[in-house]
Amino acid sequence: MRTLTDSEVWSFEGQAVHTEAYIRAYLNALKLVLPSHDIKILDTAAGVGFPTENLYLSGYHNITSLDGDADSAAYSTKVFAEKNMPISVATGSWQTLSKTVQDTYDVLINVDNALVYMDGWSGPRNMAEGEEAVFERFRNVLKEFLAVIKPNGMAILGLGKHYEPTQQGIPEGGGDKDNKVVPFDLIRDGEQVKMTWHIHRDWQKRHHESRAVVEAKDFSGDILRVAYLITKDELMKLMKEVGFSQVHLLVPDSTRDNLIIGIK
């Protein structure tokens, strides 16, 4: 049986959560904020193609795709080439973005609940613990985002609506721990694939652990990722602290994310 790479596991996750209807809803929400098709966009969480590819197909051709994971960047490069999309792809850490990216952009995008995984794409290594330590990690990355945005430009950040202490059965005030298993079945190339997310939350550490497991007849794979837990109000406050002149909240009806818009 073949073992899937991390980027292949992520592609199955993408298929499970990014249905055509969901992608349309997310794009419609982004278009409410994006000022024109001529703007220069940096997608800092391109992963395996969403939403860079979808924005390109919608007429936003001045877009650069960036991801912190080299395998994901290579996967996106391959996909874009196969589809004849001349999209620039780069690899870089958000924590040192201003040193990696030598340009500035009208709009920086970090959506699909990616920001909270800044330190935990490959498991719990180097994760901060506790509110103040976690908040400082966010401040550092938000400052880097701000540095590559043009004056009067904007950052669009997507934060999961479930990142609130009162959601998913977690008591008001944070509680201690919560465990959940989320199964999902899908079809890939005519083959049935079982996908399961094993979720564990700890608001004292401010950690959200998610192990994605893919099982099929001829292949399998799993990956553990750890996100930081933060609420929309906390993130908006931190954005103001680091220097965004205005911060606004957009709550689309048909997406799993709130969109937080920061103006430089």
Side-chain angles (χ1 to χ4, degrees):
M1 178 176 287
R2 187 172 73 87
T3 300
L4 300 173
T5 65
D6 289 354
S7 59
E8 287 175 322
V9 174
W10 292 339
S11 75
F12 279 101
E13 286 190 276
Q15 181 180 347
V17 301
H18 296 146
T19 64
E20 289 185 10
Y22 187 77
I23 289 173
R24 283 196 303 270
Y26 215 117
L27 286 176
N28 287 338
L30 290 174
K31 289 175 184 178
L32 291 174
V33 183
L34 295 173
S36 75
H37 286 83
D38 299 326
I39 56 173
K40 193 174 184 179
I41 302 173
L42 176 65
D43 180 3
T44 57
V48 291
F50 176 81
T52 297
E53 177 182 339
N54 314 91
L55 286 170
Y56 184 89
L57 292 173
S58 297
Y60 298 92
H61 292 167
N62 195 3
I63 186 168
T64 297
S65 170
L66 180 141
D67 199 88
D69 179 75
D71 287 341
S72 292
Y75 183 91
S76 293
T77 299
K78 178 175 179 290
V79 170
F80 296 155
E82 290 173 348
K83 297 182 178 181
N84 295 315
M85 295 180 180
I87 299 173
S88 175
V89 180
T91 303
S93 167
W94 300 334
Q95 289 85 347
T96 57
L97 190 63
S98 61
K99 297 179 178 63
T100 304
V101 175
Q102 304 301 317
D103 208 345
T104 55
Y105 296 83
D106 299 301
V107 178
L108 179 147
I109 294 176
N110 187 290
V111 296
D112 211 25
N113 200 41
L115 180 61
V116 292
Y117 287 96
M118 64 177 71
D119 291 331
W121 280 115
S122 300
R125 296 172 298 175
N126 302 317
M127 293 285 292
E129 292 186 8
E131 180 176 298
E132 186 49 44
V134 169
F135 284 5
E136 188 60 24
R137 297 298 291 161
F138 277 93
R139 290 188 190 97
N140 292 338
V141 170
L142 291 171
K143 289 175 184 176
E144 290 294 311
F145 285 178
L146 195 63
V148 299
I149 299 172
K150 293 180 180 180
N152 300 313
M154 71 173 72
I156 305 174
L157 310 181
L159 181 66
K161 294 175 181 176
H162 59 288
Y163 274 62
E164 299 292 327
T166 56
Q167 298 299 312
Q168 303 296 334
I170 304 173
E172 183 66 46
D176 292 319
K177 298 179 180 179
D178 172 62
N179 296 279
K180 188 175 183 180
V181 177
V182 181
F184 195 93
D185 293 327
L186 59 138
I187 303 296
R188 172 75 67 90
D189 298 328
E191 295 293 330
Q192 186 170 358
V193 179
K194 181 180 180 181
M195 180 123 207
T196 310
W197 287 273
H198 300 265
I199 298 169
H200 170 80
R201 299 179 181 88
D202 187 331
W203 275 88
Q204 292 182 347
K205 288 185 177 181
R206 292 282 183 148
H207 285 187
H208 174 288
E209 295 184 4
S210 175
R211 182 177 293 279
V213 180
V214 177
E215 299 172 287
K217 180 180 178 182
D218 298 321
F219 56 82
S220 65
D222 70 277
I223 183 170
L224 173 67
R225 294 176 303 182
V226 185
Y228 290 129
L229 287 166
I230 189 169
T231 70
K232 61 182 183 298
D233 292 335
E234 291 168 341
L235 180 56
M236 293 173 72
K237 181 179 179 182
L238 292 177
M239 292 174 72
K240 292 177 182 177
E241 284 183 15
V242 303
F244 284 93
S245 63
Q246 301 177 51
V247 181
H248 306 284
L249 177 67
L250 177 64
V251 185
D253 291 334
S254 302
T255 70
R256 290 180 290 272
D257 287 0
N258 291 312
L259 294 182
I260 301 173
I261 299 96
I263 309 297
K264 183 170 181 177

PDB file of all heavy atoms in Angstrom, residues 10-33:
ATOM      1  N   TRP A  10      -3.211  16.781   1.999  1.00  0.00           N
ATOM      2  CA  TRP A  10      -3.866  18.085   1.956  1.00  0.00           C
ATOM      3  C   TRP A  10      -4.788  18.202   0.748  1.00  0.00           C
ATOM      4  O   TRP A  10      -5.827  18.849   0.809  1.00  0.00           O
ATOM      5  CB  TRP A  10      -2.816  19.191   1.914  1.00  0.00           C
ATOM      6  CG  TRP A  10      -2.043  19.310   3.174  1.00  0.00           C
ATOM      7  CD1 TRP A  10      -2.420  18.860   4.417  1.00  0.00           C
ATOM      8  CD2 TRP A  10      -0.752  19.877   3.341  1.00  0.00           C
ATOM      9  NE1 TRP A  10      -1.442  19.130   5.343  1.00  0.00           N
ATOM     10  CE2 TRP A  10      -0.412  19.751   4.719  1.00  0.00           C
ATOM     11  CE3 TRP A  10       0.150  20.483   2.477  1.00  0.00           C
ATOM     12  CZ2 TRP A  10       0.795  20.203   5.227  1.00  0.00           C
ATOM     13  CZ3 TRP A  10       1.357  20.951   2.991  1.00  0.00           C
ATOM     14  CH2 TRP A  10       1.673  20.815   4.340  1.00  0.00           C
ATOM     15  N   SER A  11      -4.406  17.570  -0.390  1.00  0.00           N
ATOM     16  CA  SER A  11      -5.261  17.646  -1.572  1.00  0.00           C
ATOM     17  C   SER A  11      -6.586  16.930  -1.340  1.00  0.00           C
ATOM     18  O   SER A  11      -7.633  17.363  -1.817  1.00  0.00           O
ATOM     19  CB  SER A  11      -4.548  17.062  -2.794  1.00  0.00           C
ATOM     20  OG  SER A  11      -4.504  15.648  -2.771  1.00  0.00           O
ATOM     21  N   PHE A  12      -6.550  15.826  -0.565  1.00  0.00           N
ATOM     22  CA  PHE A  12      -7.798  15.147  -0.220  1.00  0.00           C
ATOM     23  C   PHE A  12      -8.627  15.999   0.732  1.00  0.00           C
ATOM     24  O   PHE A  12      -9.854  16.064   0.619  1.00  0.00           O
ATOM     25  CB  PHE A  12      -7.506  13.774   0.402  1.00  0.00           C
ATOM     26  CG  PHE A  12      -7.206  12.706  -0.599  1.00  0.00           C
ATOM     27  CD1 PHE A  12      -5.892  12.327  -0.850  1.00  0.00           C
ATOM     28  CD2 PHE A  12      -8.223  12.089  -1.306  1.00  0.00           C
ATOM     29  CE1 PHE A  12      -5.603  11.349  -1.785  1.00  0.00           C
ATOM     30  CE2 PHE A  12      -7.951  11.100  -2.244  1.00  0.00           C
ATOM     31  CZ  PHE A  12      -6.629  10.735  -2.489  1.00  0.00           C
ATOM     32  N   GLU A  13      -7.965  16.644   1.685  1.00  0.00           N
ATOM     33  CA  GLU A  13      -8.687  17.570   2.553  1.00  0.00           C
ATOM     34  C   GLU A  13      -9.356  18.666   1.738  1.00  0.00           C
ATOM     35  O   GLU A  13     -10.499  19.038   1.980  1.00  0.00           O
ATOM     36  CB  GLU A  13      -7.730  18.198   3.566  1.00  0.00           C
ATOM     37  CG  GLU A  13      -7.283  17.299   4.670  1.00  0.00           C
ATOM     38  CD  GLU A  13      -6.547  18.065   5.746  1.00  0.00           C
ATOM     39  OE1 GLU A  13      -5.335  18.298   5.588  1.00  0.00           O
ATOM     40  OE2 GLU A  13      -7.193  18.449   6.750  1.00  0.00           O
ATOM     41  N   GLY A  14      -8.599  19.190   0.770  1.00  0.00           N
ATOM     42  CA  GLY A  14      -9.152  20.244  -0.079  1.00  0.00           C
ATOM     43  C   GLY A  14     -10.382  19.780  -0.840  1.00  0.00           C
ATOM     44  O   GLY A  14     -11.369  20.510  -0.956  1.00  0.00           O
ATOM     45  N   GLN A  15     -10.320  18.542  -1.369  1.00  0.00           N
ATOM     46  CA  GLN A  15     -11.475  18.007  -2.087  1.00  0.00           C
ATOM     47  C   GLN A  15     -12.675  17.864  -1.166  1.00  0.00           C
ATOM     48  O   GLN A  15     -13.821  18.123  -1.552  1.00  0.00           O
ATOM     49  CB  GLN A  15     -11.133  16.653  -2.710  1.00  0.00           C
ATOM     50  CG  GLN A  15     -12.296  16.041  -3.495  1.00  0.00           C
ATOM     51  CD  GLN A  15     -11.930  14.693  -4.103  1.00  0.00           C
ATOM     52  OE1 GLN A  15     -10.760  14.306  -4.162  1.00  0.00           O
ATOM     53  NE2 GLN A  15     -12.939  13.959  -4.548  1.00  0.00           N
ATOM     54  N   ALA A  16     -12.415  17.473   0.084  1.00  0.00           N
ATOM     55  CA  ALA A  16     -13.512  17.253   1.029  1.00  0.00           C
ATOM     56  C   ALA A  16     -14.177  18.557   1.438  1.00  0.00           C
ATOM     57  O   ALA A  16     -15.402  18.633   1.542  1.00  0.00           O
ATOM     58  CB  ALA A  16     -12.992  16.511   2.257  1.00  0.00           C
ATOM     59  N   VAL A  17     -13.384  19.589   1.673  1.00  0.00           N
ATOM     60  CA  VAL A  17     -13.949  20.827   2.230  1.00  0.00           C
ATOM     61  C   VAL A  17     -14.204  21.896   1.184  1.00  0.00           C
ATOM     62  O   VAL A  17     -14.981  22.825   1.416  1.00  0.00           O
ATOM     63  CB  VAL A  17     -13.050  21.398   3.340  1.00  0.00           C
ATOM     64  CG1 VAL A  17     -12.876  20.386   4.453  1.00  0.00           C
ATOM     65  CG2 VAL A  17     -11.706  21.835   2.802  1.00  0.00           C
ATOM     66  N   HIS A  18     -13.554  21.789   0.011  1.00  0.00           N
ATOM     67  CA  HIS A  18     -13.717  22.815  -1.021  1.00  0.00           C
ATOM     68  C   HIS A  18     -14.610  22.316  -2.152  1.00  0.00           C
ATOM     69  O   HIS A  18     -14.155  22.077  -3.267  1.00  0.00           O
ATOM     70  CB  HIS A  18     -12.361  23.239  -1.587  1.00  0.00           C
ATOM     71  CG  HIS A  18     -11.472  23.893  -0.592  1.00  0.00           C
ATOM     72  ND1 HIS A  18     -10.101  23.755  -0.594  1.00  0.00           N
ATOM     73  CD2 HIS A  18     -11.759  24.675   0.473  1.00  0.00           C
ATOM     74  CE1 HIS A  18      -9.587  24.428   0.405  1.00  0.00           C
ATOM     75  NE2 HIS A  18     -10.569  24.991   1.076  1.00  0.00           N
ATOM     76  N   THR A  19     -15.878  22.149  -1.848  1.00  0.00           N
ATOM     77  CA  THR A  19     -16.829  21.801  -2.900  1.00  0.00           C
ATOM     78  C   THR A  19     -16.977  22.993  -3.840  1.00  0.00           C
ATOM     79  O   THR A  19     -16.606  24.124  -3.518  1.00  0.00           O
ATOM     80  CB  THR A  19     -18.201  21.457  -2.302  1.00  0.00           C
ATOM     81  OG1 THR A  19     -18.730  22.638  -1.659  1.00  0.00           O
ATOM     82  CG2 THR A  19     -18.079  20.332  -1.280  1.00  0.00           C
ATOM     83  N   GLU A  20     -17.531  22.752  -5.015  1.00  0.00           N
ATOM     84  CA  GLU A  20     -17.717  23.849  -5.978  1.00  0.00           C
ATOM     85  C   GLU A  20     -18.583  24.950  -5.387  1.00  0.00           C
ATOM     86  O   GLU A  20     -18.308  26.141  -5.574  1.00  0.00           O
ATOM     87  CB  GLU A  20     -18.340  23.312  -7.267  1.00  0.00           C
ATOM     88  CG  GLU A  20     -17.397  22.442  -8.091  1.00  0.00           C
ATOM     89  CD  GLU A  20     -18.018  22.040  -9.418  1.00  0.00           C
ATOM     90  OE1 GLU A  20     -19.079  22.581  -9.768  1.00  0.00           O
ATOM     91  OE2 GLU A  20     -17.424  21.180 -10.093  1.00  0.00           O
ATOM     92  N   ALA A  21     -19.623  24.560  -4.667  1.00  0.00           N
ATOM     93  CA  ALA A  21     -20.516  25.560  -4.065  1.00  0.00           C
ATOM     94  C   ALA A  21     -19.774  26.373  -3.010  1.00  0.00           C
ATOM     95  O   ALA A  21     -19.960  27.602  -2.910  1.00  0.00           O
ATOM     96  CB  ALA A  21     -21.732  24.876  -3.450  1.00  0.00           C
ATOM     97  N   TYR A  22     -18.924  25.702  -2.230  1.00  0.00           N
ATOM     98  CA  TYR A  22     -18.190  26.418  -1.184  1.00  0.00           C
ATOM     99  C   TYR A  22     -17.180  27.382  -1.793  1.00  0.00           C
ATOM    100  O   TYR A  22     -17.028  28.516  -1.322  1.00  0.00           O
ATOM    101  CB  TYR A  22     -17.484  25.433  -0.264  1.00  0.00           C
ATOM    102  CG  TYR A  22     -16.843  26.113   0.930  1.00  0.00           C
ATOM    103  CD1 TYR A  22     -17.616  26.534   1.998  1.00  0.00           C
ATOM    104  CD2 TYR A  22     -15.476  26.359   0.975  1.00  0.00           C
ATOM    105  CE1 TYR A  22     -17.044  27.178   3.093  1.00  0.00           C
ATOM    106  CE2 TYR A  22     -14.897  26.995   2.058  1.00  0.00           C
ATOM    107  CZ  TYR A  22     -15.691  27.404   3.121  1.00  0.00           C
ATOM    108  OH  TYR A  22     -15.131  28.056   4.188  1.00  0.00           O
ATOM    109  N   ILE A  23     -16.478  26.941  -2.836  1.00  0.00           N
ATOM    110  CA  ILE A  23     -15.510  27.811  -3.503  1.00  0.00           C
ATOM    111  C   ILE A  23     -16.202  29.041  -4.060  1.00  0.00           C
ATOM    112  O   ILE A  23     -15.705  30.173  -3.929  1.00  0.00           O
ATOM    113  CB  ILE A  23     -14.772  27.041  -4.613  1.00  0.00           C
ATOM    114  CG1 ILE A  23     -13.816  26.016  -3.990  1.00  0.00           C
ATOM    115  CG2 ILE A  23     -14.005  27.997  -5.522  1.00  0.00           C
ATOM    116  CD1 ILE A  23     -13.168  25.097  -5.000  1.00  0.00           C
ATOM    117  N   ARG A  24     -17.357  28.858  -4.683  1.00  0.00           N
ATOM    118  CA  ARG A  24     -18.104  30.006  -5.219  1.00  0.00           C
ATOM    119  C   ARG A  24     -18.476  30.977  -4.107  1.00  0.00           C
ATOM    120  O   ARG A  24     -18.349  32.198  -4.264  1.00  0.00           O
ATOM    121  CB  ARG A  24     -19.365  29.532  -5.946  1.00  0.00           C
ATOM    122  CG  ARG A  24     -19.126  28.957  -7.326  1.00  0.00           C
ATOM    123  CD  ARG A  24     -20.416  28.870  -8.118  1.00  0.00           C
ATOM    124  NE  ARG A  24     -21.424  28.071  -7.434  1.00  0.00           N
ATOM    125  CZ  ARG A  24     -21.578  26.772  -7.583  1.00  0.00           C
ATOM    126  NH1 ARG A  24     -20.758  26.097  -8.390  1.00  0.00           N
ATOM    127  NH2 ARG A  24     -22.524  26.117  -6.941  1.00  0.00           N
ATOM    128  N   ALA A  25     -18.938  30.427  -2.984  1.00  0.00           N
ATOM    129  CA  ALA A  25     -19.332  31.288  -1.866  1.00  0.00           C
ATOM    130  C   ALA A  25     -18.138  32.057  -1.321  1.00  0.00           C
ATOM    131  O   ALA A  25     -18.233  33.255  -1.024  1.00  0.00           O
ATOM    132  CB  ALA A  25     -19.968  30.437  -0.765  1.00  0.00           C
ATOM    133  N   TYR A  26     -16.991  31.384  -1.212  1.00  0.00           N
ATOM    134  CA  TYR A  26     -15.788  32.048  -0.683  1.00  0.00           C
ATOM    135  C   TYR A  26     -15.313  33.127  -1.646  1.00  0.00           C
ATOM    136  O   TYR A  26     -14.955  34.249  -1.233  1.00  0.00           O
ATOM    137  CB  TYR A  26     -14.684  31.028  -0.444  1.00  0.00           C
ATOM    138  CG  TYR A  26     -13.828  31.340   0.765  1.00  0.00           C
ATOM    139  CD1 TYR A  26     -13.780  30.482   1.844  1.00  0.00           C
ATOM    140  CD2 TYR A  26     -13.063  32.507   0.831  1.00  0.00           C
ATOM    141  CE1 TYR A  26     -12.996  30.749   2.966  1.00  0.00           C
ATOM    142  CE2 TYR A  26     -12.289  32.790   1.940  1.00  0.00           C
ATOM    143  CZ  TYR A  26     -12.255  31.916   2.999  1.00  0.00           C
ATOM    144  OH  TYR A  26     -11.485  32.196   4.103  1.00  0.00           O
ATOM    145  N   LEU A  27     -15.303  32.816  -2.946  1.00  0.00           N
ATOM    146  CA  LEU A  27     -14.877  33.801  -3.938  1.00  0.00           C
ATOM    147  C   LEU A  27     -15.800  35.011  -3.941  1.00  0.00           C
ATOM    148  O   LEU A  27     -15.343  36.154  -4.071  1.00  0.00           O
ATOM    149  CB  LEU A  27     -14.830  33.167  -5.323  1.00  0.00           C
ATOM    150  CG  LEU A  27     -13.664  32.224  -5.600  1.00  0.00           C
ATOM    151  CD1 LEU A  27     -13.798  31.604  -6.979  1.00  0.00           C
ATOM    152  CD2 LEU A  27     -12.337  32.952  -5.482  1.00  0.00           C
ATOM    153  N   ASN A  28     -17.089  34.772  -3.825  1.00  0.00           N
ATOM    154  CA  ASN A  28     -18.042  35.888  -3.783  1.00  0.00           C
ATOM    155  C   ASN A  28     -17.766  36.794  -2.587  1.00  0.00           C
ATOM    156  O   ASN A  28     -17.874  38.021  -2.683  1.00  0.00           O
ATOM    157  CB  ASN A  28     -19.470  35.362  -3.731  1.00  0.00           C
ATOM    158  CG  ASN A  28     -19.938  34.785  -5.059  1.00  0.00           C
ATOM    159  OD1 ASN A  28     -19.388  35.119  -6.113  1.00  0.00           O
ATOM    160  ND2 ASN A  28     -20.924  33.908  -5.018  1.00  0.00           N
ATOM    161  N   ALA A  29     -17.395  36.190  -1.460  1.00  0.00           N
ATOM    162  CA  ALA A  29     -17.065  36.988  -0.280  1.00  0.00           C
ATOM    163  C   ALA A  29     -15.801  37.805  -0.515  1.00  0.00           C
ATOM    164  O   ALA A  29     -15.731  38.990  -0.166  1.00  0.00           O
ATOM    165  CB  ALA A  29     -16.900  36.075   0.930  1.00  0.00           C
ATOM    166  N   LEU A  30     -14.777  37.183  -1.125  1.00  0.00           N
ATOM    167  CA  LEU A  30     -13.542  37.905  -1.409  1.00  0.00           C
ATOM    168  C   LEU A  30     -13.773  39.046  -2.389  1.00  0.00           C
ATOM    169  O   LEU A  30     -13.196  40.139  -2.248  1.00  0.00           O
ATOM    170  CB  LEU A  30     -12.483  36.946  -1.961  1.00  0.00           C
ATOM    171  CG  LEU A  30     -11.893  35.933  -0.975  1.00  0.00           C
ATOM    172  CD1 LEU A  30     -10.966  34.965  -1.701  1.00  0.00           C
ATOM    173  CD2 LEU A  30     -11.142  36.638   0.144  1.00  0.00           C
ATOM    174  N   LYS A  31     -14.618  38.815  -3.380  1.00  0.00           N
ATOM    175  CA  LYS A  31     -14.879  39.845  -4.391  1.00  0.00           C
ATOM    176  C   LYS A  31     -15.581  41.062  -3.804  1.00  0.00           C
ATOM    177  O   LYS A  31     -15.489  42.166  -4.355  1.00  0.00           O
ATOM    178  CB  LYS A  31     -15.720  39.252  -5.526  1.00  0.00           C
ATOM    179  CG  LYS A  31     -14.960  38.264  -6.398  1.00  0.00           C
ATOM    180  CD  LYS A  31     -15.884  37.631  -7.433  1.00  0.00           C
ATOM    181  CE  LYS A  31     -15.167  36.576  -8.247  1.00  0.00           C
ATOM    182  NZ  LYS A  31     -16.063  35.910  -9.218  1.00  0.00           N
ATOM    183  N   LEU A  32     -16.274  40.876  -2.696  1.00  0.00           N
ATOM    184  CA  LEU A  32     -16.900  42.021  -2.030  1.00  0.00           C
ATOM    185  C   LEU A  32     -15.854  42.987  -1.490  1.00  0.00           C
ATOM    186  O   LEU A  32     -16.127  44.176  -1.304  1.00  0.00           O
ATOM    187  CB  LEU A  32     -17.789  41.541  -0.875  1.00  0.00           C
ATOM    188  CG  LEU A  32     -19.060  40.786  -1.229  1.00  0.00           C
ATOM    189  CD1 LEU A  32     -19.735  40.263   0.033  1.00  0.00           C
ATOM    190  CD2 LEU A  32     -20.018  41.678  -2.012  1.00  0.00           C
ATOM    191  N   VAL A  33     -14.650  42.467  -1.256  1.00  0.00           N
ATOM    192  CA  VAL A  33     -13.590  43.252  -0.632  1.00  0.00           C
ATOM    193  C   VAL A  33     -12.540  43.695  -1.641  1.00  0.00           C
ATOM    194  O   VAL A  33     -12.016  44.814  -1.550  1.00  0.00           O
ATOM    195  CB  VAL A  33     -12.917  42.435   0.497  1.00  0.00           C
ATOM    196  CG1 VAL A  33     -11.860  43.261   1.212  1.00  0.00           C
ATOM    197  CG2 VAL A  33     -13.958  41.933   1.487  1.00  0.00           C
TER     198      VAL A  33
END
